[in-house]
PDB file of all heavy atoms in Angstrom:
ATOM      1  N   TRP A  74      23.922 -28.566  -5.415  1.00 95.00           N
ATOM      2  CA  TRP A  74      23.317 -29.841  -5.028  1.00 95.00           C
ATOM      3  C   TRP A  74      23.266 -30.811  -6.211  1.00 95.00           C
ATOM      4  O   TRP A  74      23.417 -32.030  -6.043  1.00 95.00           O
ATOM      5  CB  TRP A  74      21.934 -29.642  -4.453  1.00 95.00           C
ATOM      6  CG  TRP A  74      21.929 -29.051  -3.061  1.00 95.00           C
ATOM      7  CD1 TRP A  74      21.448 -27.859  -2.667  1.00 95.00           C
ATOM      8  CD2 TRP A  74      22.454 -29.686  -1.912  1.00 95.00           C
ATOM      9  NE1 TRP A  74      21.650 -27.676  -1.323  1.00 95.00           N
ATOM     10  CE2 TRP A  74      22.268 -28.794  -0.834  1.00 95.00           C
ATOM     11  CE3 TRP A  74      23.099 -30.907  -1.659  1.00 95.00           C
ATOM     12  CZ2 TRP A  74      22.668 -29.075   0.475  1.00 95.00           C
ATOM     13  CZ3 TRP A  74      23.492 -31.194  -0.366  1.00 95.00           C
ATOM     14  CH2 TRP A  74      23.291 -30.282   0.681  1.00 95.00           C
ATOM     15  N   LYS A  77      26.684 -32.232  -6.376  1.00 94.00           N
ATOM     16  CA  LYS A  77      26.898 -33.190  -5.286  1.00 94.00           C
ATOM     17  C   LYS A  77      26.141 -34.487  -5.560  1.00 94.00           C
ATOM     18  O   LYS A  77      26.642 -35.591  -5.262  1.00 94.00           O
ATOM     19  CB  LYS A  77      26.441 -32.592  -3.966  1.00 94.00           C
ATOM     20  CG  LYS A  77      27.346 -31.460  -3.472  1.00 94.00           C
ATOM     21  CD  LYS A  77      26.822 -30.859  -2.170  1.00 94.00           C
ATOM     22  CE  LYS A  77      27.736 -29.736  -1.681  1.00 94.00           C
ATOM     23  NZ  LYS A  77      27.255 -29.159  -0.415  1.00 94.00           N
ATOM     24  N   ALA A  78      24.937 -34.380  -6.090  1.00 93.00           N
ATOM     25  CA  ALA A  78      24.173 -35.603  -6.417  1.00 93.00           C
ATOM     26  C   ALA A  78      24.910 -36.421  -7.470  1.00 93.00           C
ATOM     27  O   ALA A  78      24.984 -37.668  -7.385  1.00 93.00           O
ATOM     28  CB  ALA A  78      22.777 -35.200  -6.910  1.00 93.00           C
ATOM     29  N   ALA A  81      27.926 -38.090  -5.821  1.00 92.00           N
ATOM     30  CA  ALA A  81      27.521 -39.216  -4.965  1.00 92.00           C
ATOM     31  C   ALA A  81      27.099 -40.403  -5.819  1.00 92.00           C
ATOM     32  O   ALA A  81      27.401 -41.578  -5.494  1.00 92.00           O
ATOM     33  CB  ALA A  81      26.387 -38.777  -4.046  1.00 92.00           C
ATOM     34  N   SER A  82      26.406 -40.141  -6.898  1.00 93.00           N
ATOM     35  CA  SER A  82      25.969 -41.235  -7.779  1.00 93.00           C
ATOM     36  C   SER A  82      27.163 -41.931  -8.415  1.00 93.00           C
ATOM     37  O   SER A  82      27.198 -43.176  -8.509  1.00 93.00           O
ATOM     38  CB  SER A  82      25.055 -40.673  -8.872  1.00 93.00           C
ATOM     39  OG  SER A  82      24.700 -41.680  -9.788  1.00 93.00           O
ATOM     40  N   ALA A  97      27.751 -48.521  -1.798  1.00 93.00           N
ATOM     41  CA  ALA A  97      27.085 -48.045  -3.008  1.00 93.00           C
ATOM     42  C   ALA A  97      25.689 -47.528  -2.669  1.00 93.00           C
ATOM     43  O   ALA A  97      25.249 -46.473  -3.142  1.00 93.00           O
ATOM     44  CB  ALA A  97      27.004 -49.150  -4.043  1.00 93.00           C
ATOM     45  N   GLN A  98      24.967 -48.289  -1.837  1.00 94.00           N
ATOM     46  CA  GLN A  98      23.625 -47.854  -1.439  1.00 94.00           C
ATOM     47  C   GLN A  98      23.684 -46.564  -0.626  1.00 94.00           C
ATOM     48  O   GLN A  98      22.834 -45.680  -0.753  1.00 94.00           O
ATOM     49  CB  GLN A  98      22.956 -48.959  -0.621  1.00 94.00           C
ATOM     50  CG  GLN A  98      21.521 -48.682  -0.263  1.00 94.00           C
ATOM     51  CD  GLN A  98      20.640 -48.565  -1.510  1.00 94.00           C
ATOM     52  OE1 GLN A  98      20.842 -49.329  -2.485  1.00 94.00           O
ATOM     53  NE2 GLN A  98      19.709 -47.628  -1.470  1.00 94.00           N
ATOM     54  N   LYS A  99      24.707 -46.500   0.219  1.00 94.00           N
ATOM     55  CA  LYS A  99      24.878 -45.291   1.038  1.00 94.00           C
ATOM     56  C   LYS A  99      25.029 -44.051   0.166  1.00 94.00           C
ATOM     57  O   LYS A  99      24.375 -43.013   0.395  1.00 94.00           O
ATOM     58  CB  LYS A  99      26.088 -45.460   1.940  1.00 94.00           C
ATOM     59  CG  LYS A  99      26.420 -44.240   2.768  1.00 94.00           C
ATOM     60  CD  LYS A  99      27.682 -44.466   3.596  1.00 94.00           C
ATOM     61  CE  LYS A  99      28.077 -43.224   4.375  1.00 94.00           C
ATOM     62  NZ  LYS A  99      29.329 -43.442   5.156  1.00 94.00           N
ATOM     63  N   PHE A 100      25.862 -44.125  -0.862  1.00 93.00           N
ATOM     64  CA  PHE A 100      26.087 -42.948  -1.708  1.00 93.00           C
ATOM     65  C   PHE A 100      24.904 -42.696  -2.646  1.00 93.00           C
ATOM     66  O   PHE A 100      24.657 -41.536  -3.031  1.00 93.00           O
ATOM     67  CB  PHE A 100      27.393 -43.103  -2.499  1.00 93.00           C
ATOM     68  CG  PHE A 100      28.608 -42.735  -1.682  1.00 93.00           C
ATOM     69  CD1 PHE A 100      29.326 -43.708  -1.008  1.00 93.00           C
ATOM     70  CD2 PHE A 100      29.017 -41.404  -1.580  1.00 93.00           C
ATOM     71  CE1 PHE A 100      30.440 -43.366  -0.241  1.00 93.00           C
ATOM     72  CE2 PHE A 100      30.137 -41.080  -0.817  1.00 93.00           C
ATOM     73  CZ  PHE A 100      30.853 -42.033  -0.142  1.00 93.00           C
ATOM     74  N   ASP A 101      24.200 -43.739  -2.990  1.00 93.00           N
ATOM     75  CA  ASP A 101      22.973 -43.517  -3.757  1.00 93.00           C
ATOM     76  C   ASP A 101      21.969 -42.727  -2.924  1.00 93.00           C
ATOM     77  O   ASP A 101      21.260 -41.835  -3.444  1.00 93.00           O
ATOM     78  CB  ASP A 101      22.367 -44.854  -4.202  1.00 93.00           C
ATOM     79  CG  ASP A 101      23.057 -45.423  -5.439  1.00 93.00           C
ATOM     80  OD1 ASP A 101      23.685 -44.610  -6.157  1.00 93.00           O
ATOM     81  OD2 ASP A 101      22.948 -46.629  -5.679  1.00 93.00           O
ATOM     82  N   ASN A 102      21.880 -43.084  -1.650  1.00 94.00           N
ATOM     83  CA  ASN A 102      20.979 -42.339  -0.759  1.00 94.00           C
ATOM     84  C   ASN A 102      21.418 -40.876  -0.636  1.00 94.00           C
ATOM     85  O   ASN A 102      20.582 -39.958  -0.618  1.00 94.00           O
ATOM     86  CB  ASN A 102      20.941 -42.988   0.611  1.00 94.00           C
ATOM     87  CG  ASN A 102      20.245 -44.335   0.594  1.00 94.00           C
ATOM     88  OD1 ASN A 102      19.397 -44.605  -0.276  1.00 94.00           O
ATOM     89  ND2 ASN A 102      20.574 -45.206   1.534  1.00 94.00           N
ATOM     90  N   LEU A 103      22.735 -40.658  -0.550  1.00 93.00           N
ATOM     91  CA  LEU A 103      23.235 -39.280  -0.502  1.00 93.00           C
ATOM     92  C   LEU A 103      22.905 -38.529  -1.794  1.00 93.00           C
ATOM     93  O   LEU A 103      22.569 -37.332  -1.765  1.00 93.00           O
ATOM     94  CB  LEU A 103      24.755 -39.285  -0.295  1.00 93.00           C
ATOM     95  CG  LEU A 103      25.251 -39.687   1.107  1.00 93.00           C
ATOM     96  CD1 LEU A 103      26.782 -39.764   1.119  1.00 93.00           C
ATOM     97  CD2 LEU A 103      24.743 -38.701   2.156  1.00 93.00           C
ATOM     98  N   ALA A 104      22.983 -39.227  -2.911  1.00 93.00           N
ATOM     99  CA  ALA A 104      22.642 -38.604  -4.198  1.00 93.00           C
ATOM    100  C   ALA A 104      21.176 -38.202  -4.219  1.00 93.00           C
ATOM    101  O   ALA A 104      20.807 -37.124  -4.725  1.00 93.00           O
ATOM    102  CB  ALA A 104      22.957 -39.553  -5.339  1.00 93.00           C
ATOM    103  N   LYS A 105      20.322 -39.064  -3.643  1.00 94.00           N
ATOM    104  CA  LYS A 105      18.896 -38.744  -3.597  1.00 94.00           C
ATOM    105  C   LYS A 105      18.637 -37.501  -2.723  1.00 94.00           C
ATOM    106  O   LYS A 105      17.821 -36.634  -3.076  1.00 94.00           O
ATOM    107  CB  LYS A 105      18.120 -39.941  -3.069  1.00 94.00           C
ATOM    108  CG  LYS A 105      18.089 -41.137  -4.016  1.00 94.00           C
ATOM    109  CD  LYS A 105      17.335 -42.300  -3.396  1.00 94.00           C
ATOM    110  CE  LYS A 105      17.313 -43.511  -4.313  1.00 94.00           C
ATOM    111  NZ  LYS A 105      16.580 -44.661  -3.712  1.00 94.00           N
ATOM    112  N   VAL A 106      19.319 -37.446  -1.584  1.00 94.00           N
ATOM    113  CA  VAL A 106      19.160 -36.268  -0.707  1.00 94.00           C
ATOM    114  C   VAL A 106      19.610 -35.002  -1.437  1.00 94.00           C
ATOM    115  O   VAL A 106      18.957 -33.951  -1.369  1.00 94.00           O
ATOM    116  CB  VAL A 106      19.948 -36.466   0.593  1.00 94.00           C
ATOM    117  CG1 VAL A 106      19.963 -35.171   1.408  1.00 94.00           C
ATOM    118  CG2 VAL A 106      19.372 -37.607   1.410  1.00 94.00           C
ATOM    119  N   ALA A 107      20.733 -35.101  -2.139  1.00 93.00           N
ATOM    120  CA  ALA A 107      21.242 -33.949  -2.878  1.00 93.00           C
ATOM    121  C   ALA A 107      20.269 -33.525  -3.976  1.00 93.00           C
ATOM    122  O   ALA A 107      20.024 -32.331  -4.191  1.00 93.00           O
ATOM    123  CB  ALA A 107      22.602 -34.266  -3.477  1.00 93.00           C
ATOM    124  N   LEU A 108      19.663 -34.531  -4.646  1.00 94.00           N
ATOM    125  CA  LEU A 108      18.693 -34.222  -5.695  1.00 94.00           C
ATOM    126  C   LEU A 108      17.443 -33.567  -5.103  1.00 94.00           C
ATOM    127  O   LEU A 108      16.859 -32.650  -5.700  1.00 94.00           O
ATOM    128  CB  LEU A 108      18.329 -35.489  -6.456  1.00 94.00           C
ATOM    129  CG  LEU A 108      19.429 -36.064  -7.366  1.00 94.00           C
ATOM    130  CD1 LEU A 108      19.005 -37.422  -7.920  1.00 94.00           C
ATOM    131  CD2 LEU A 108      19.718 -35.089  -8.506  1.00 94.00           C
ATOM    132  N   GLN A 109      17.039 -34.040  -3.938  1.00 94.00           N
ATOM    133  CA  GLN A 109      15.874 -33.450  -3.279  1.00 94.00           C
ATOM    134  C   GLN A 109      16.134 -31.977  -2.935  1.00 94.00           C
ATOM    135  O   GLN A 109      15.275 -31.121  -3.144  1.00 94.00           O
ATOM    136  CB  GLN A 109      15.540 -34.245  -2.020  1.00 94.00           C
ATOM    137  CG  GLN A 109      14.272 -33.764  -1.321  1.00 94.00           C
ATOM    138  CD  GLN A 109      13.966 -34.608  -0.081  1.00 94.00           C
ATOM    139  OE1 GLN A 109      14.772 -35.461   0.333  1.00 94.00           O
ATOM    140  NE2 GLN A 109      12.801 -34.378   0.500  1.00 94.00           N
TER     141      GLN A 109
END
Side-chain angles (χ1 to χ4, degrees):
W74 287 115
K77 290 178 180 181
S82 176
Q98 186 62 39
K99 176 183 177 181
F100 278 95
D101 280 338
N102 291 335
L103 288 175
K105 291 178 181 180
V106 171
L108 289 173
Q109 184 179 7

